């Protein structure tokens, strides 16, 4: 086989391929990471209050102060549980006279959680590590060391 010298077309093809590879690395490696974490914003420790309804005593006993709580979808740590309180679950039942009365639902409890974690406040809302969005009155699937509760965020405060 005869040796060929690279012509201008071959050189242009190589330059375009290298430029596309560099652009892809820059876009997906640098720009997306900055957008996700928003390096300019500093995370502040905030107090998140949440509740869990209609759970049994094993779930109540599985939530401890000091446990870390994670978002189930992404695996990102939302924060550390600082307080756990519970009370009997009250359910609305229609009485014989047609009125709705709150009665204690046997063997079920409502749990109030206080969580402290790093939260970034952006124009769009509150975010944990720039990825997990926290909204009041929204439910999220979470995971702790011993339980997988569905929590409802009630407030986010400083």
């Amino acid at each position: 086989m005869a040796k060929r010298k690279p012509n201008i077309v071959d050189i242009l093809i190589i330059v375009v391929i290298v430029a596309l590879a560099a652009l892809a690395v820059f876009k997906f490696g640098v720009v997306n990471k900055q957008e996700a974490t928003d390096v300019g914003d500093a995370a502040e420790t905030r107090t998140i209050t949440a509740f869990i309804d209609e759970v049994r005593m094993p779930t109540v006993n599985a939530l401890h102060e000091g446990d870390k709580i994670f978002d189930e979808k992404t695996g990102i740590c939302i924060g550390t549980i600082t307080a756990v309180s519970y009370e009997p679950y009250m359910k609305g039942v229609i009485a014989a006279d047609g009125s709705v009365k709150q009665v204690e639902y046997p063997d079920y409890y409502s749990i109030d959680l206080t969580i402290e974690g790093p939260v970034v406040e952006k124009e769009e809302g509150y975010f944990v590590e720039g990825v997990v969005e926290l909204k009041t009155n929204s439910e999220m699937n979470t995971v702790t060391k011993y339980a997988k509760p569905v929590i409802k965020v009630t407030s986010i405060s400083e």
Side-chain angles (χ1 to χ4, degrees):
M1 276 188 135
K3 277 196 159 190
R4 283 185 48 203
K5 288 186 183 178
N7 60 16
I8 190 77
V9 174
D10 293 335
I11 294 172
L12 284 176
I13 290 173
I14 292 171
V15 168
V16 167
I17 291 173
V18 169
L20 287 175
L23 184 65
V25 167
F26 178 74
K27 167 67 174 131
F28 295 114
V30 177
V31 174
N32 281 354
K33 186 180 280 187
Q34 286 179 347
E35 287 176 358
T37 58
D38 205 359
V39 176
D41 294 335
E44 299 174 2
T45 301
R46 301 250 180 168
T47 302
I48 304 159
T49 56
F51 73 90
I52 307 167
D53 262 347
E54 204 172 341
V55 294
R56 293 187 176 255
M57 189 52 79
T59 304
V60 173
N61 292 334
L63 298 169
H64 308 100
E65 291 181 21
D67 284 352
K68 294 197 179 295
I69 189 163
F70 300 87
D71 178 47
E72 186 177 30
K73 293 177 187 171
T74 60
I76 292 175
C77 182
I78 297 169
T80 304
I81 299 173
T82 57
V84 179
S85 63
Y86 67 95
E87 57 188 30
Y89 178 63
M90 303 300 281
K91 190 170 189 172
V93 177
I94 299 174
D97 62 358
S99 63
V100 177
K101 298 189 180 198
Q102 295 290 327
V103 296
E104 185 177 319
Y105 200 58
D107 297 330
Y108 284 88
Y109 301 91
S110 294
I111 304 173
D112 290 316
L113 292 176
T114 304
I115 304 165
E116 285 193 5
V119 177
V120 176
E121 185 176 359
K122 298 182 183 178
E123 291 179 13
E124 300 87 23
Y126 295 100
F127 293 87
V128 177
E129 289 193 19
V131 179
V132 178
E133 185 174 12
L134 292 175
K135 293 181 182 179
T136 56
N137 297 323
S138 67
E139 290 185 348
M140 57 188 313
N141 296 327
T142 58
V143 177
T144 66
K145 188 174 183 180
Y146 301 108
K148 290 176 71 173
V150 177
I151 65 171
K152 186 172 185 179
V153 177
T154 55
S155 70
I156 304 166
S157 60
E158 297 200 27

mmCIF file of all heavy atoms in Angstrom, residues 51-57 60 86-93 101-111:
data_model
loop_
_atom_site.group_PDB
_atom_site.id
_atom_site.type_symbol
_atom_site.label_atom_id
_atom_site.label_comp_id
_atom_site.label_asym_id
_atom_site.label_seq_id
_atom_site.Cartn_x
_atom_site.Cartn_y
_atom_site.Cartn_z
ATOM 1 N N PHE A 51 -44.636 16.176 58.338
ATOM 2 C CA PHE A 51 -45.403 15.202 59.105
ATOM 3 C C PHE A 51 -45.668 13.966 58.254
ATOM 4 O O PHE A 51 -45.595 13.987 57.032
ATOM 5 C CB PHE A 51 -46.700 15.791 59.675
ATOM 6 C CG PHE A 51 -47.782 16.034 58.666
ATOM 7 C CD1 PHE A 51 -48.711 15.061 58.375
ATOM 8 C CD2 PHE A 51 -47.893 17.260 58.035
ATOM 9 C CE1 PHE A 51 -49.719 15.292 57.453
ATOM 10 C CE2 PHE A 51 -48.894 17.500 57.120
ATOM 11 C CZ PHE A 51 -49.817 16.513 56.822
ATOM 12 N N ILE A 52 -45.951 12.901 58.981
ATOM 13 C CA ILE A 52 -46.283 11.614 58.359
ATOM 14 C C ILE A 52 -47.589 11.170 59.004
ATOM 15 O O ILE A 52 -47.712 11.161 60.227
ATOM 16 C CB ILE A 52 -45.188 10.566 58.627
ATOM 17 C CG1 ILE A 52 -43.817 11.098 58.232
ATOM 18 C CG2 ILE A 52 -45.492 9.272 57.909
ATOM 19 C CD1 ILE A 52 -42.662 10.272 58.743
ATOM 20 N N ASP A 53 -48.566 10.820 58.190
ATOM 21 C CA ASP A 53 -49.869 10.408 58.704
ATOM 22 C C ASP A 53 -50.068 8.906 58.578
ATOM 23 O O ASP A 53 -49.525 8.263 57.684
ATOM 24 C CB ASP A 53 -50.990 11.105 57.931
ATOM 25 C CG ASP A 53 -51.508 12.328 58.657
ATOM 26 O OD1 ASP A 53 -51.193 12.497 59.835
ATOM 27 O OD2 ASP A 53 -52.237 13.119 58.031
ATOM 28 N N GLU A 54 -50.896 8.401 59.467
ATOM 29 C CA GLU A 54 -51.406 7.036 59.404
ATOM 30 C C GLU A 54 -50.295 5.987 59.326
ATOM 31 O O GLU A 54 -50.196 5.226 58.368
ATOM 32 C CB GLU A 54 -52.370 6.902 58.217
ATOM 33 C CG GLU A 54 -53.363 5.791 58.369
ATOM 34 C CD GLU A 54 -54.417 5.793 57.287
ATOM 35 O OE1 GLU A 54 -54.629 6.821 56.614
ATOM 36 O OE2 GLU A 54 -55.035 4.740 57.113
ATOM 37 N N VAL A 55 -49.441 5.974 60.339
ATOM 38 C CA VAL A 55 -48.391 4.958 60.432
ATOM 39 C C VAL A 55 -48.547 4.184 61.734
ATOM 40 O O VAL A 55 -49.146 4.665 62.689
ATOM 41 C CB VAL A 55 -46.975 5.572 60.359
ATOM 42 C CG1 VAL A 55 -46.718 6.181 59.014
ATOM 43 C CG2 VAL A 55 -46.745 6.571 61.462
ATOM 44 N N ARG A 56 -47.995 2.998 61.768
ATOM 45 C CA ARG A 56 -48.060 2.162 62.969
ATOM 46 C C ARG A 56 -46.843 2.413 63.853
ATOM 47 O O ARG A 56 -45.891 3.072 63.452
ATOM 48 C CB ARG A 56 -48.161 0.698 62.577
ATOM 49 C CG ARG A 56 -49.479 0.394 61.888
ATOM 50 C CD ARG A 56 -49.611 -1.090 61.685
ATOM 51 N NE ARG A 56 -50.890 -1.421 61.113
ATOM 52 C CZ ARG A 56 -51.896 -1.957 61.795
ATOM 53 N NH1 ARG A 56 -51.757 -2.228 63.069
ATOM 54 N NH2 ARG A 56 -53.030 -2.239 61.199
ATOM 55 N N MET A 57 -46.870 1.849 65.048
ATOM 56 C CA MET A 57 -45.817 2.079 66.031
ATOM 57 C C MET A 57 -44.424 1.643 65.561
ATOM 58 O O MET A 57 -43.451 2.324 65.878
ATOM 59 C CB MET A 57 -46.180 1.383 67.353
ATOM 60 C CG MET A 57 -45.242 1.747 68.477
ATOM 61 S SD MET A 57 -45.009 3.528 68.743
ATOM 62 C CE MET A 57 -46.456 3.968 69.642
ATOM 63 N N VAL A 60 -42.980 4.595 63.904
ATOM 64 C CA VAL A 60 -42.682 5.632 64.893
ATOM 65 C C VAL A 60 -41.361 5.316 65.586
ATOM 66 O O VAL A 60 -40.508 6.181 65.760
ATOM 67 C CB VAL A 60 -43.828 5.758 65.928
ATOM 68 C CG1 VAL A 60 -43.453 6.714 67.040
ATOM 69 C CG2 VAL A 60 -45.115 6.187 65.259
ATOM 70 N N TYR A 86 -45.006 12.285 68.211
ATOM 71 C CA TYR A 86 -46.142 11.598 67.612
ATOM 72 C C TYR A 86 -47.353 11.697 68.523
ATOM 73 O O TYR A 86 -47.241 11.968 69.711
ATOM 74 C CB TYR A 86 -45.806 10.125 67.322
ATOM 75 C CG TYR A 86 -45.579 9.273 68.541
ATOM 76 C CD1 TYR A 86 -46.627 8.526 69.074
ATOM 77 C CD2 TYR A 86 -44.342 9.213 69.168
ATOM 78 C CE1 TYR A 86 -46.435 7.740 70.192
ATOM 79 C CE2 TYR A 86 -44.144 8.431 70.283
ATOM 80 C CZ TYR A 86 -45.199 7.688 70.795
ATOM 81 O OH TYR A 86 -45.005 6.919 71.903
ATOM 82 N N GLU A 87 -48.504 11.477 67.924
ATOM 83 C CA GLU A 87 -49.776 11.493 68.647
ATOM 84 C C GLU A 87 -50.720 10.542 67.928
ATOM 85 O O GLU A 87 -50.492 10.196 66.762
ATOM 86 C CB GLU A 87 -50.347 12.906 68.704
ATOM 87 C CG GLU A 87 -50.555 13.538 67.365
ATOM 88 C CD GLU A 87 -50.935 15.011 67.454
ATOM 89 O OE1 GLU A 87 -50.516 15.680 68.399
ATOM 90 O OE2 GLU A 87 -51.654 15.463 66.554
ATOM 91 N N PRO A 88 -51.786 10.118 68.576
ATOM 92 C CA PRO A 88 -52.727 9.209 67.917
ATOM 93 C C PRO A 88 -53.317 9.857 66.660
ATOM 94 O O PRO A 88 -53.585 11.057 66.622
ATOM 95 C CB PRO A 88 -53.812 8.979 68.966
ATOM 96 C CG PRO A 88 -53.156 9.286 70.263
ATOM 97 C CD PRO A 88 -52.137 10.345 69.970
ATOM 98 N N TYR A 89 -53.498 9.047 65.634
ATOM 99 C CA TYR A 89 -54.041 9.524 64.366
ATOM 100 C C TYR A 89 -55.540 9.751 64.520
ATOM 101 O O TYR A 89 -56.269 8.869 64.978
ATOM 102 C CB TYR A 89 -53.749 8.503 63.260
ATOM 103 C CG TYR A 89 -54.301 8.881 61.916
ATOM 104 C CD1 TYR A 89 -53.870 10.016 61.255
ATOM 105 C CD2 TYR A 89 -55.261 8.093 61.294
ATOM 106 C CE1 TYR A 89 -54.366 10.366 60.021
ATOM 107 C CE2 TYR A 89 -55.758 8.421 60.048
ATOM 108 C CZ TYR A 89 -55.315 9.566 59.416
ATOM 109 O OH TYR A 89 -55.819 9.897 58.189
ATOM 110 N N MET A 90 -55.995 10.930 64.137
ATOM 111 C CA MET A 90 -57.417 11.273 64.216
ATOM 112 C C MET A 90 -58.006 11.237 62.806
ATOM 113 O O MET A 90 -57.436 11.797 61.879
ATOM 114 C CB MET A 90 -57.604 12.650 64.834
ATOM 115 C CG MET A 90 -56.978 12.807 66.220
ATOM 116 S SD MET A 90 -57.636 11.679 67.426
ATOM 117 C CE MET A 90 -59.155 12.486 67.819
ATOM 118 N N LYS A 91 -59.140 10.552 62.697
ATOM 119 C CA LYS A 91 -59.782 10.404 61.396
ATOM 120 C C LYS A 91 -61.202 10.953 61.473
ATOM 121 O O LYS A 91 -61.884 10.795 62.481
ATOM 122 C CB LYS A 91 -59.797 8.922 61.017
ATOM 123 C CG LYS A 91 -60.205 8.650 59.605
ATOM 124 C CD LYS A 91 -59.964 7.203 59.248
ATOM 125 C CE LYS A 91 -60.183 7.018 57.768
ATOM 126 N NZ LYS A 91 -59.797 5.706 57.316
ATOM 127 N N GLY A 92 -61.631 11.622 60.396
ATOM 128 C CA GLY A 92 -62.987 12.155 60.335
ATOM 129 C C GLY A 92 -63.986 11.053 60.006
ATOM 130 O O GLY A 92 -63.834 10.350 59.017
ATOM 131 N N VAL A 93 -64.991 10.895 60.861
ATOM 132 C CA VAL A 93 -66.011 9.865 60.678
ATOM 133 C C VAL A 93 -67.378 10.530 60.718
ATOM 134 O O VAL A 93 -67.620 11.425 61.528
ATOM 135 C CB VAL A 93 -65.898 8.788 61.786
ATOM 136 C CG1 VAL A 93 -67.002 7.756 61.661
ATOM 137 C CG2 VAL A 93 -64.546 8.130 61.759
ATOM 138 N N LYS A 101 -67.169 13.881 62.862
ATOM 139 C CA LYS A 101 -66.457 13.974 64.135
ATOM 140 C C LYS A 101 -65.084 13.344 63.983
ATOM 141 O O LYS A 101 -64.903 12.390 63.240
ATOM 142 C CB LYS A 101 -67.242 13.265 65.233
ATOM 143 C CG LYS A 101 -68.591 13.894 65.467
ATOM 144 C CD LYS A 101 -69.240 13.342 66.676
ATOM 145 C CE LYS A 101 -70.583 14.066 66.803
ATOM 146 N NZ LYS A 101 -71.165 13.986 68.057
ATOM 147 N N GLN A 102 -64.127 13.918 64.686
ATOM 148 C CA GLN A 102 -62.771 13.372 64.707
ATOM 149 C C GLN A 102 -62.691 12.296 65.782
ATOM 150 O O GLN A 102 -62.982 12.564 66.946
ATOM 151 C CB GLN A 102 -61.750 14.479 64.989
ATOM 152 C CG GLN A 102 -61.662 15.540 63.916
ATOM 153 C CD GLN A 102 -61.035 15.001 62.637
ATOM 154 O OE1 GLN A 102 -60.170 14.150 62.659
ATOM 155 N NE2 GLN A 102 -61.497 15.510 61.514
ATOM 156 N N VAL A 103 -62.304 11.094 65.381
ATOM 157 C CA VAL A 103 -62.152 10.004 66.337
ATOM 158 C C VAL A 103 -60.748 9.420 66.199
ATOM 159 O O VAL A 103 -60.118 9.501 65.145
ATOM 160 C CB VAL A 103 -63.210 8.898 66.134
ATOM 161 C CG1 VAL A 103 -64.597 9.421 66.402
ATOM 162 C CG2 VAL A 103 -63.126 8.297 64.756
ATOM 163 N N GLU A 104 -60.281 8.829 67.277
ATOM 164 C CA GLU A 104 -58.952 8.226 67.274
ATOM 165 C C GLU A 104 -58.997 6.915 66.486
ATOM 166 O O GLU A 104 -59.836 6.058 66.720
ATOM 167 C CB GLU A 104 -58.511 7.964 68.713
ATOM 168 C CG GLU A 104 -57.110 7.459 68.821
ATOM 169 C CD GLU A 104 -56.685 7.285 70.259
ATOM 170 O OE1 GLU A 104 -57.012 8.155 71.095
ATOM 171 O OE2 GLU A 104 -56.043 6.262 70.545
ATOM 172 N N TYR A 105 -58.092 6.802 65.526
ATOM 173 C CA TYR A 105 -57.983 5.598 64.696
ATOM 174 C C TYR A 105 -57.055 4.637 65.433
ATOM 175 O O TYR A 105 -55.883 4.952 65.631
ATOM 176 C CB TYR A 105 -57.430 5.993 63.327
ATOM 177 C CG TYR A 105 -57.681 5.033 62.211
ATOM 178 C CD1 TYR A 105 -58.963 4.664 61.849
ATOM 179 C CD2 TYR A 105 -56.614 4.497 61.504
ATOM 180 C CE1 TYR A 105 -59.180 3.791 60.805
ATOM 181 C CE2 TYR A 105 -56.823 3.623 60.453
ATOM 182 C CZ TYR A 105 -58.108 3.264 60.115
ATOM 183 O OH TYR A 105 -58.318 2.398 59.091
ATOM 184 N N PRO A 106 -57.542 3.482 65.871
ATOM 185 C CA PRO A 106 -56.735 2.630 66.744
ATOM 186 C C PRO A 106 -55.443 2.130 66.082
ATOM 187 O O PRO A 106 -55.439 1.755 64.906
ATOM 188 C CB PRO A 106 -57.656 1.457 67.072
ATOM 189 C CG PRO A 106 -58.820 1.570 66.181
ATOM 190 C CD PRO A 106 -58.830 2.918 65.564
ATOM 191 N N ASP A 107 -54.373 2.143 66.864
ATOM 192 C CA ASP A 107 -53.051 1.625 66.471
ATOM 193 C C ASP A 107 -52.378 2.403 65.347
ATOM 194 O O ASP A 107 -51.423 1.910 64.749
ATOM 195 C CB ASP A 107 -53.125 0.144 66.074
ATOM 196 C CG ASP A 107 -53.555 -0.734 67.233
ATOM 197 O OD1 ASP A 107 -53.251 -0.372 68.389
ATOM 198 O OD2 ASP A 107 -54.190 -1.779 66.985
ATOM 199 N N TYR A 108 -52.849 3.592 65.030
ATOM 200 C CA TYR A 108 -52.206 4.432 64.013
ATOM 201 C C TYR A 108 -51.832 5.770 64.631
ATOM 202 O O TYR A 108 -52.508 6.263 65.535
ATOM 203 C CB TYR A 108 -53.116 4.640 62.798
ATOM 204 C CG TYR A 108 -53.188 3.436 61.909
ATOM 205 C CD1 TYR A 108 -54.118 2.431 62.124
ATOM 206 C CD2 TYR A 108 -52.303 3.281 60.856
ATOM 207 C CE1 TYR A 108 -54.176 1.312 61.317
ATOM 208 C CE2 TYR A 108 -52.347 2.165 60.023
ATOM 209 C CZ TYR A 108 -53.282 1.187 60.266
ATOM 210 O OH TYR A 108 -53.323 0.082 59.460
ATOM 211 N N TYR A 109 -50.753 6.362 64.097
ATOM 212 C CA TYR A 109 -50.215 7.582 64.685
ATOM 213 C C TYR A 109 -49.861 8.599 63.597
ATOM 214 O O TYR A 109 -49.620 8.239 62.453
ATOM 215 C CB TYR A 109 -48.958 7.264 65.510
ATOM 216 C CG TYR A 109 -49.248 6.291 66.621
ATOM 217 C CD1 TYR A 109 -49.123 4.923 66.427
ATOM 218 C CD2 TYR A 109 -49.692 6.744 67.854
ATOM 219 C CE1 TYR A 109 -49.418 4.024 67.436
ATOM 220 C CE2 TYR A 109 -49.983 5.852 68.876
ATOM 221 C CZ TYR A 109 -49.853 4.487 68.651
ATOM 222 O OH TYR A 109 -50.154 3.612 69.651
ATOM 223 N N SER A 110 -49.805 9.860 64.014
ATOM 224 C CA SER A 110 -49.298 10.952 63.179
ATOM 225 C C SER A 110 -47.965 11.379 63.774
ATOM 226 O O SER A 110 -47.855 11.549 64.985
ATOM 227 C CB SER A 110 -50.247 12.150 63.189
ATOM 228 O OG SER A 110 -51.454 11.814 62.569
ATOM 229 N N ILE A 111 -46.972 11.562 62.907
ATOM 230 C CA ILE A 111 -45.635 11.917 63.362
ATOM 231 C C ILE A 111 -45.293 13.313 62.866
ATOM 232 O O ILE A 111 -45.514 13.626 61.693
ATOM 233 C CB ILE A 111 -44.587 10.919 62.828
ATOM 234 C CG1 ILE A 111 -44.936 9.502 63.237
ATOM 235 C CG2 ILE A 111 -43.194 11.302 63.305
ATOM 236 C CD1 ILE A 111 -44.046 8.455 62.600
#
